[in-house]
Amino acid sequence: MSADRLIIRRPDDWHLHLRDGAMLAAVLPATARGFARAVVMPNLVPPVATVAAAAAYRNRINGTAKGGVRFTPLMTLYLTDASDPEEVEKGFNAGVVFACKLYPRDATTNAQSGVTDMARIAHVLARMEEIGVPLLVHGEVSDPEVDVFDREAVFIDRVLAPMIKDFPGLRVVLEHITTSEAVDFVGDGPDRLAATITPHHLMVDRNHMLAGGIRPHLFCLPVVKRARHREALRRIATSGHRRFFLGTDSAPHAVADKEQACGCAGIFNAPVAMEAYASVFDELGALDALENFAAHFGAAFYGLPVNEETLILERDPWTVPETVEVAGAGGRGGVRPFLAGETINWRVAGIGPPNKGPVL
Ligand code: DOR
Ligand code: ZN
């Protein structure tokens, strides 16, 4: 397919950071203009670790979303060493908690309250397995002895593989995968195991981040790897494998927090996410695989209906803005989007009316 106009079912973002307050207000429109639903990460400070906190956060998001287009946040609970299975079950039954998120302690941004040892949450995972709550995983060890480029592969061996065996009914999503090891492990795994893939991990390898100067706006966790890993991700994303689907991991940070001696991890790709995926699929001659990846496979994995509306994409080059302003940020500046200042071939032209056509 090499059309100039592409109409797909409205997609969902199965992994997103929306933050809170002024930042939430600044970044939410970039997601809601395209995605109908998003799984919202709970790594606020303090973390979203109770049903009350998740419900209040959902209210703040819904209060920020402007009318017009439908947008549904799907909330997650942050697992800690002190997580209580009763709380998870209560939130799930009340329709507040969509999934639980595992951050290994100190593995990434705001993971200070994360889990230190899987044994401490075994009873929580057992309950999730029993009642059907999906576990979303930041798949990196935080062991300082392990090289930062190896942390995903080591996590798979040390944590994920045993967990999949120990909890044979648990539904697990390995988020934002970055390695061929993750592609193989998930691809060869059971039907209850899936993975999300970000636009930046499809477009960038570590040379983009480090060759010719360090580019802090391409720093995220798990960190981008060698080119051959990016190739493996591009192959599987466009392959039609049903257990690999879209999750942007859009993670905004103020420019001042990215550009400093110890810059934080996270790439704000919401303003350009669907456009970036479309460009990658187009480059690989796989535009006909985009709708499944973006709108069908994730919904199918989570047992949700596909969205009725459509998203219209056009081949119409545009230049990505340098910044998205954050109200009241003052000298800290706004947020710099992924691909800022670059020209991208695909553009989201809008949301279209319901498509009653065949659903996979
Ligand atoms: O790069 C990242 N940024 N990776 C994560 O896991 C968290 C995220 C954030 O919250 O900024
Ligand atoms: Zn994330």
Side-chain angles (χ1 to χ4, degrees), residues 7-10 291 307-310 352-359:
I7 301 181
I8 62 172
R9 290 286 184 144
R10 197 169 165 209
E291 182 175 35
N307 297 306
E308 291 279 318
E309 307 101 318
T310 54
N355 177 352
K356 304 280 189 193
V359 172

Side-chain angles (χ1 to χ4, degrees), residues 17 19 43 103 108-109 138 176 219-221 249 251 253 265-267:
H17 299 266
R19 314 303 191 204
N43 62 335
Y103 289 106
T108 187
T109 307
H138 183 103
H176 41 56
F219 177 58
C220 65
L221 287 169
D249 198 19
H253 291 278
I267 297 180

